Amino acid sequence: MIGLIPLLLITTLIFLLGIASTLTLPNTLPKQTTPKTSVIREVSEGIKLTFASPHMRNPVLLMSSAGLLLGGPYAVLVPIILRDSHNATGFDFAAAFATFMVGGAISSGILLKIGKVQNPMLLLTLGYALGGIALVTWSFSPPYWFFLTTILLWGFGGGICLNMSRAILQEHAPLTHKSRILSVMYMGDEGGAPLGSLLIGVLVASIGIAQAAMLPGVLVLVISAILLTKTTKASAQQTN
């Protein structure tokens, strides 16, 4: 076995190589420029622009809820279920998280192959719903192989969410505010994950693993159903 310290050093080296590669990227400036203001004002402008447009507001709200309802279960529930329900080893933990990434890579490759998507918000919502399906399934204590299958499915949906949310925002954001608006989405997504992790930990301690998986899973599916209904109605109105 490699051991923990060499593994951490290898990981650090990979991160440093990634940082070095980004330094070689060309510096592309926006076609329009805006005067420099304070950071707080720039952030507030990005938030106002995002929520003024339903095309940008809905993906940001959806991804913010994903950070809260899905980020916590991913970080907390997966290790607890592996430990308590499957007596997992280090390899089992690695396999579970790697399976999630493989699912994301598969959906990203499929989207790359497809190219243009007619209704990106519909696809984004469906990808989001896959996470809810996985969580509801966990509440029934599935066997290990099926647990990994649901993680793969969730990762597949996660790849859709990441790609579609970025594409929607970049398509509708003004040229001068593309990075600022994209940062609003990540602020909601990544900002909700720590709170979601804390809430899941409290739920596991108070009501148990099964209920702690069921509750956010059902909420995700309810949100998905509402958005799917709105998206379908909006598409029908545009067609008519």
Side-chain angles (χ1 to χ4, degrees), residues 4 38 82-83 98 107 110 160 164 198 209 214 221 223 232:
L4 181 60
S38 67
L82 285 170
R83 183 196 66 188
S107 60
I110 292 174
I160 294 174
M164 286 295 96
L198 178 62
I209 297 175
M214 176 66 78
L221 293 179
I223 294 171
T232 303

Side-chain angles (χ1 to χ4, degrees), residues 4-5 14 22-23 50 64 74 92 114 119 148 160 172:
L4 181 60
I5 299 302
I14 293 173
T22 59
L23 295 176
T50 299
S64 297
Y74 177 77
D92 296 320
I114 293 173
N119 196 331
L148 286 186
I160 294 174
H172 291 93

Side-chain angles (χ1 to χ4, degrees), residues 2-167:
I2 296 177
L4 181 60
I5 299 302
L7 187 60
L8 288 174
L9 291 175
I10 292 172
T11 304
T12 302
L13 178 61
I14 293 173
F15 274 114
L16 290 175
L17 290 174
I19 293 172
S21 66
T22 59
L23 295 176
T24 62
L25 294 174
N27 184 20
T28 56
L29 297 175
K31 294 181 181 179
Q32 303 175 25
T33 57
T34 55
K36 285 288 184 181
T37 57
S38 67
V39 174
I40 295 176
R41 184 172 180 179
E42 289 182 353
V43 172
S44 64
E45 283 180 0
I47 295 174
K48 288 178 181 178
L49 281 171
T50 299
F51 284 86
S53 168
H55 296 292
M56 295 187 291
R57 180 174 64 243
N58 290 339
V60 167
L61 289 175
L62 187 68
M63 294 304 292
S64 297
S65 70
L68 180 64
L69 298 175
L70 296 175
Y74 177 77
V76 178
L77 272 183
V78 172
I80 290 178
I81 291 174
L82 285 170
R83 183 196 66 188
D84 293 354
S85 301
H86 303 292
N87 298 317
T89 63
F91 176 81
D92 296 320
F93 281 89
F97 287 104
T99 298
F100 184 89
M101 298 301 175
V102 169
I106 292 172
S107 60
S108 298
I110 292 174
L111 289 174
L112 183 63
K113 184 70 175 177
I114 293 173
K116 184 175 178 60
V117 175
Q118 294 297 330
N119 196 331
M121 191 62 201
L122 176 61
L123 190 59
L124 170 60
T125 306
L126 290 173
Y128 174 77
L130 292 179
I133 293 172
L135 288 178
V136 171
T137 303
W138 295 356
S139 65
F140 297 98
S141 301
Y144 178 70
W145 68 268
F146 195 76
F147 178 65
L148 286 186
T149 302
T150 61
I151 292 179
L152 180 68
L153 183 71
W154 185 0
F156 188 90
I160 294 174
C161 288
L162 286 176
N163 286 288
M164 286 295 96
S165 58
R166 293 172 185 169

